[in-house]
Amino acid sequence: MASKSQSAERKARIEQMRRAEQARERRNRIITITVSAVVVAGLVSFGAFVLNKESDKKEQEQAAAKAPIKDEKSWDAKKLSRNHVTEAVKYPMTPPVGGDHNQVWMNCDGDVYKDAIPEVNAVHSLEHGAVWVTYNDKAGDADVKALGSKVEKTPYSLMSPVKDQSGVIMLSAWGKQVSVDSASDPRVDQFLTKHVQGPGTPEPGAACTGGMGAQ
């Protein structure tokens, strides 16, 4: 039978072990709470950073949409005829920025066409709020590739070569047009931001799929 002193020592050791375990549990709780607080603070800070970045991006896009585009040409969008025709149309500008057109639009959901497309169908796409990006033989391969990447990521846009256009690279919307020499010109993004489904669109929201020229 254990002596009273042995029993007391055993109880003391058990109590010591219990206190040590309680201390470990307190430390673990403190560590868990501290780590959780740091993680939450980090997530909150990251979230605020993302929100601020998105807000800044939206403000920049809004500013770009309001700012005038250097050397942009304009035609009165309301005076450009919008009749559906079956024959070819002789447009006063190349590429055309509006006028009579075929009843079938070119697909313009970021479609990149390697060959020339019918103007009468592309003009119908402009009526739906698309931006038509075109280039002639003077455009470099790198610029054509960069433009194609932009268009593919932009709903309500399409791209094709137009050999007889005056500018190396041209962007056209209904009643609007600008010429640039390279894909890196900031007016490319500015024009897309301003005129994809822009204020001059006769039929905003109309389809850009289900038309002609599926790739």
mmCIF file with all atom_site columns, all heavy atoms in Angstrom, residues 136-150:
data_model
loop_
_atom_site.group_PDB
_atom_site.id
_atom_site.type_symbol
_atom_site.label_atom_id
_atom_site.label_alt_id
_atom_site.label_comp_id
_atom_site.label_asym_id
_atom_site.label_entity_id
_atom_site.label_seq_id
_atom_site.pdbx_PDB_ins_code
_atom_site.Cartn_x
_atom_site.Cartn_y
_atom_site.Cartn_z
_atom_site.occupancy
_atom_site.B_iso_or_equiv
_atom_site.pdbx_formal_charge
_atom_site.auth_seq_id
_atom_site.auth_comp_id
_atom_site.auth_asym_id
_atom_site.auth_atom_id
_atom_site.pdbx_PDB_model_num
ATOM 1   N N   . ASN A 1 136 ? -4.054 46.823 -92.983 1.00 0.00 ? 136 ASN A N   1
ATOM 2   C CA  . ASN A 1 136 ? -3.649 46.585 -94.370 1.00 0.00 ? 136 ASN A CA  1
ATOM 3   C C   . ASN A 1 136 ? -2.315 45.843 -94.406 1.00 0.00 ? 136 ASN A C   1
ATOM 4   O O   . ASN A 1 136 ? -1.798 45.408 -93.367 1.00 0.00 ? 136 ASN A O   1
ATOM 5   C CB  . ASN A 1 136 ? -3.614 47.892 -95.177 1.00 0.00 ? 136 ASN A CB  1
ATOM 6   C CG  . ASN A 1 136 ? -2.576 48.882 -94.656 1.00 0.00 ? 136 ASN A CG  1
ATOM 7   O OD1 . ASN A 1 136 ? -1.649 48.512 -93.934 1.00 0.00 ? 136 ASN A OD1 1
ATOM 8   N ND2 . ASN A 1 136 ? -2.728 50.145 -95.011 1.00 0.00 ? 136 ASN A ND2 1
ATOM 9   N N   . ASP A 1 137 ? -1.729 45.727 -95.593 1.00 0.00 ? 137 ASP A N   1
ATOM 10  C CA  . ASP A 1 137 ? -0.511 44.932 -95.764 1.00 0.00 ? 137 ASP A CA  1
ATOM 11  C C   . ASP A 1 137 ? 0.713  45.537 -95.074 1.00 0.00 ? 137 ASP A C   1
ATOM 12  O O   . ASP A 1 137 ? 1.742  44.857 -94.921 1.00 0.00 ? 137 ASP A O   1
ATOM 13  C CB  . ASP A 1 137 ? -0.197 44.764 -97.259 1.00 0.00 ? 137 ASP A CB  1
ATOM 14  C CG  . ASP A 1 137 ? -1.238 43.903 -97.967 1.00 0.00 ? 137 ASP A CG  1
ATOM 15  O OD1 . ASP A 1 137 ? -1.950 43.156 -97.268 1.00 0.00 ? 137 ASP A OD1 1
ATOM 16  O OD2 . ASP A 1 137 ? -1.355 44.004 -99.201 1.00 0.00 ? 137 ASP A OD2 1
ATOM 17  N N   . LYS A 1 138 ? 0.630  46.793 -94.654 1.00 0.00 ? 138 LYS A N   1
ATOM 18  C CA  . LYS A 1 138 ? 1.768  47.432 -93.978 1.00 0.00 ? 138 LYS A CA  1
ATOM 19  C C   . LYS A 1 138 ? 1.850  47.068 -92.498 1.00 0.00 ? 138 LYS A C   1
ATOM 20  O O   . LYS A 1 138 ? 2.852  47.353 -91.845 1.00 0.00 ? 138 LYS A O   1
ATOM 21  C CB  . LYS A 1 138 ? 1.668  48.950 -94.132 1.00 0.00 ? 138 LYS A CB  1
ATOM 22  C CG  . LYS A 1 138 ? 1.818  49.433 -95.574 1.00 0.00 ? 138 LYS A CG  1
ATOM 23  C CD  . LYS A 1 138 ? 1.717  50.954 -95.656 1.00 0.00 ? 138 LYS A CD  1
ATOM 24  C CE  . LYS A 1 138 ? 1.835  51.436 -97.093 1.00 0.00 ? 138 LYS A CE  1
ATOM 25  N NZ  . LYS A 1 138 ? 1.710  52.912 -97.188 1.00 0.00 ? 138 LYS A NZ  1
ATOM 26  N N   . ALA A 1 139 ? 0.816  46.466 -91.968 1.00 0.00 ? 139 ALA A N   1
ATOM 27  C CA  . ALA A 1 139 ? 0.812  46.083 -90.554 1.00 0.00 ? 139 ALA A CA  1
ATOM 28  C C   . ALA A 1 139 ? 1.761  44.913 -90.317 1.00 0.00 ? 139 ALA A C   1
ATOM 29  O O   . ALA A 1 139 ? 1.769  43.943 -91.072 1.00 0.00 ? 139 ALA A O   1
ATOM 30  C CB  . ALA A 1 139 ? -0.595 45.713 -90.109 1.00 0.00 ? 139 ALA A CB  1
ATOM 31  N N   . GLY A 1 140 ? 2.591  45.012 -89.288 1.00 0.00 ? 140 GLY A N   1
ATOM 32  C CA  . GLY A 1 140 ? 3.522  43.939 -88.971 1.00 0.00 ? 140 GLY A CA  1
ATOM 33  C C   . GLY A 1 140 ? 2.829  42.744 -88.329 1.00 0.00 ? 140 GLY A C   1
ATOM 34  O O   . GLY A 1 140 ? 1.742  42.861 -87.761 1.00 0.00 ? 140 GLY A O   1
ATOM 35  N N   . ASP A 1 141 ? 3.465  41.594 -88.421 1.00 0.00 ? 141 ASP A N   1
ATOM 36  C CA  . ASP A 1 141 ? 2.884  40.369 -87.858 1.00 0.00 ? 141 ASP A CA  1
ATOM 37  C C   . ASP A 1 141 ? 2.641  40.493 -86.354 1.00 0.00 ? 141 ASP A C   1
ATOM 38  O O   . ASP A 1 141 ? 1.629  40.006 -85.841 1.00 0.00 ? 141 ASP A O   1
ATOM 39  C CB  . ASP A 1 141 ? 3.805  39.177 -88.130 1.00 0.00 ? 141 ASP A CB  1
ATOM 40  C CG  . ASP A 1 141 ? 3.864  38.807 -89.608 1.00 0.00 ? 141 ASP A CG  1
ATOM 41  O OD1 . ASP A 1 141 ? 2.959  39.217 -90.356 1.00 0.00 ? 141 ASP A OD1 1
ATOM 42  O OD2 . ASP A 1 141 ? 4.828  38.120 -90.010 1.00 0.00 ? 141 ASP A OD2 1
ATOM 43  N N   . ALA A 1 142 ? 3.585  41.145 -85.658 1.00 0.00 ? 142 ALA A N   1
ATOM 44  C CA  . ALA A 1 142 ? 3.441  41.296 -84.206 1.00 0.00 ? 142 ALA A CA  1
ATOM 45  C C   . ALA A 1 142 ? 2.216  42.144 -83.864 1.00 0.00 ? 142 ALA A C   1
ATOM 46  O O   . ALA A 1 142 ? 1.486  41.843 -82.913 1.00 0.00 ? 142 ALA A O   1
ATOM 47  C CB  . ALA A 1 142 ? 4.700  41.922 -83.611 1.00 0.00 ? 142 ALA A CB  1
ATOM 48  N N   . ASP A 1 143 ? 1.993  43.208 -84.649 1.00 0.00 ? 143 ASP A N   1
ATOM 49  C CA  . ASP A 1 143 ? 0.827  44.059 -84.413 1.00 0.00 ? 143 ASP A CA  1
ATOM 50  C C   . ASP A 1 143 ? -0.468 43.304 -84.699 1.00 0.00 ? 143 ASP A C   1
ATOM 51  O O   . ASP A 1 143 ? -1.446 43.418 -83.945 1.00 0.00 ? 143 ASP A O   1
ATOM 52  C CB  . ASP A 1 143 ? 0.897  45.312 -85.299 1.00 0.00 ? 143 ASP A CB  1
ATOM 53  C CG  . ASP A 1 143 ? 1.812  46.374 -84.719 1.00 0.00 ? 143 ASP A CG  1
ATOM 54  O OD1 . ASP A 1 143 ? 1.882  46.478 -83.486 1.00 0.00 ? 143 ASP A OD1 1
ATOM 55  O OD2 . ASP A 1 143 ? 2.445  47.094 -85.498 1.00 0.00 ? 143 ASP A OD2 1
ATOM 56  N N   . VAL A 1 144 ? -0.478 42.535 -85.775 1.00 0.00 ? 144 VAL A N   1
ATOM 57  C CA  . VAL A 1 144 ? -1.679 41.765 -86.124 1.00 0.00 ? 144 VAL A CA  1
ATOM 58  C C   . VAL A 1 144 ? -1.985 40.754 -85.018 1.00 0.00 ? 144 VAL A C   1
ATOM 59  O O   . VAL A 1 144 ? -3.140 40.583 -84.604 1.00 0.00 ? 144 VAL A O   1
ATOM 60  C CB  . VAL A 1 144 ? -1.506 41.052 -87.478 1.00 0.00 ? 144 VAL A CB  1
ATOM 61  C CG1 . VAL A 1 144 ? -2.668 40.108 -87.749 1.00 0.00 ? 144 VAL A CG1 1
ATOM 62  C CG2 . VAL A 1 144 ? -1.380 42.083 -88.602 1.00 0.00 ? 144 VAL A CG2 1
ATOM 63  N N   . LYS A 1 145 ? -0.952 40.110 -84.502 1.00 0.00 ? 145 LYS A N   1
ATOM 64  C CA  . LYS A 1 145 ? -1.144 39.133 -83.432 1.00 0.00 ? 145 LYS A CA  1
ATOM 65  C C   . LYS A 1 145 ? -1.658 39.807 -82.159 1.00 0.00 ? 145 LYS A C   1
ATOM 66  O O   . LYS A 1 145 ? -2.573 39.300 -81.498 1.00 0.00 ? 145 LYS A O   1
ATOM 67  C CB  . LYS A 1 145 ? 0.180  38.415 -83.144 1.00 0.00 ? 145 LYS A CB  1
ATOM 68  C CG  . LYS A 1 145 ? 0.069  37.326 -82.095 1.00 0.00 ? 145 LYS A CG  1
ATOM 69  C CD  . LYS A 1 145 ? 1.399  36.618 -81.907 1.00 0.00 ? 145 LYS A CD  1
ATOM 70  C CE  . LYS A 1 145 ? 1.283  35.526 -80.841 1.00 0.00 ? 145 LYS A CE  1
ATOM 71  N NZ  . LYS A 1 145 ? 2.584  34.823 -80.646 1.00 0.00 ? 145 LYS A NZ  1
ATOM 72  N N   . ALA A 1 146 ? -1.060 40.965 -81.819 1.00 0.00 ? 146 ALA A N   1
ATOM 73  C CA  . ALA A 1 146 ? -1.479 41.686 -80.614 1.00 0.00 ? 146 ALA A CA  1
ATOM 74  C C   . ALA A 1 146 ? -2.920 42.173 -80.727 1.00 0.00 ? 146 ALA A C   1
ATOM 75  O O   . ALA A 1 146 ? -3.701 42.093 -79.772 1.00 0.00 ? 146 ALA A O   1
ATOM 76  C CB  . ALA A 1 146 ? -0.539 42.863 -80.358 1.00 0.00 ? 146 ALA A CB  1
ATOM 77  N N   . LEU A 1 147 ? -3.271 42.671 -81.907 1.00 0.00 ? 147 LEU A N   1
ATOM 78  C CA  . LEU A 1 147 ? -4.650 43.124 -82.125 1.00 0.00 ? 147 LEU A CA  1
ATOM 79  C C   . LEU A 1 147 ? -5.629 41.957 -82.016 1.00 0.00 ? 147 LEU A C   1
ATOM 80  O O   . LEU A 1 147 ? -6.699 42.075 -81.412 1.00 0.00 ? 147 LEU A O   1
ATOM 81  C CB  . LEU A 1 147 ? -4.779 43.777 -83.500 1.00 0.00 ? 147 LEU A CB  1
ATOM 82  C CG  . LEU A 1 147 ? -4.127 45.149 -83.677 1.00 0.00 ? 147 LEU A CG  1
ATOM 83  C CD1 . LEU A 1 147 ? -4.105 45.528 -85.154 1.00 0.00 ? 147 LEU A CD1 1
ATOM 84  C CD2 . LEU A 1 147 ? -4.857 46.213 -82.870 1.00 0.00 ? 147 LEU A CD2 1
ATOM 85  N N   . GLY A 1 148 ? -5.247 40.817 -82.600 1.00 0.00 ? 148 GLY A N   1
ATOM 86  C CA  . GLY A 1 148 ? -6.101 39.645 -82.530 1.00 0.00 ? 148 GLY A CA  1
ATOM 87  C C   . GLY A 1 148 ? -6.360 39.209 -81.093 1.00 0.00 ? 148 GLY A C   1
ATOM 88  O O   . GLY A 1 148 ? -7.477 38.830 -80.740 1.00 0.00 ? 148 GLY A O   1
ATOM 89  N N   . SER A 1 149 ? -5.325 39.291 -80.261 1.00 0.00 ? 149 SER A N   1
ATOM 90  C CA  . SER A 1 149 ? -5.477 38.916 -78.852 1.00 0.00 ? 149 SER A CA  1
ATOM 91  C C   . SER A 1 149 ? -6.446 39.845 -78.137 1.00 0.00 ? 149 SER A C   1
ATOM 92  O O   . SER A 1 149 ? -7.265 39.403 -77.322 1.00 0.00 ? 149 SER A O   1
ATOM 93  C CB  . SER A 1 149 ? -4.115 38.947 -78.144 1.00 0.00 ? 149 SER A CB  1
ATOM 94  O OG  . SER A 1 149 ? -3.249 37.970 -78.678 1.00 0.00 ? 149 SER A OG  1
ATOM 95  N N   . LYS A 1 150 ? -6.367 41.141 -78.450 1.00 0.00 ? 150 LYS A N   1
ATOM 96  C CA  . LYS A 1 150 ? -7.287 42.108 -77.846 1.00 0.00 ? 150 LYS A CA  1
ATOM 97  C C   . LYS A 1 150 ? -8.727 41.823 -78.272 1.00 0.00 ? 150 LYS A C   1
ATOM 98  O O   . LYS A 1 150 ? -9.650 41.821 -77.450 1.00 0.00 ? 150 LYS A O   1
ATOM 99  C CB  . LYS A 1 150 ? -6.911 43.535 -78.254 1.00 0.00 ? 150 LYS A CB  1
ATOM 100 C CG  . LYS A 1 150 ? -5.674 44.108 -77.590 1.00 0.00 ? 150 LYS A CG  1
ATOM 101 C CD  . LYS A 1 150 ? -5.433 45.535 -78.065 1.00 0.00 ? 150 LYS A CD  1
ATOM 102 C CE  . LYS A 1 150 ? -4.137 46.104 -77.483 1.00 0.00 ? 150 LYS A CE  1
ATOM 103 N NZ  . LYS A 1 150 ? -4.263 46.360 -76.029 1.00 0.00 ? 150 LYS A NZ  1
#
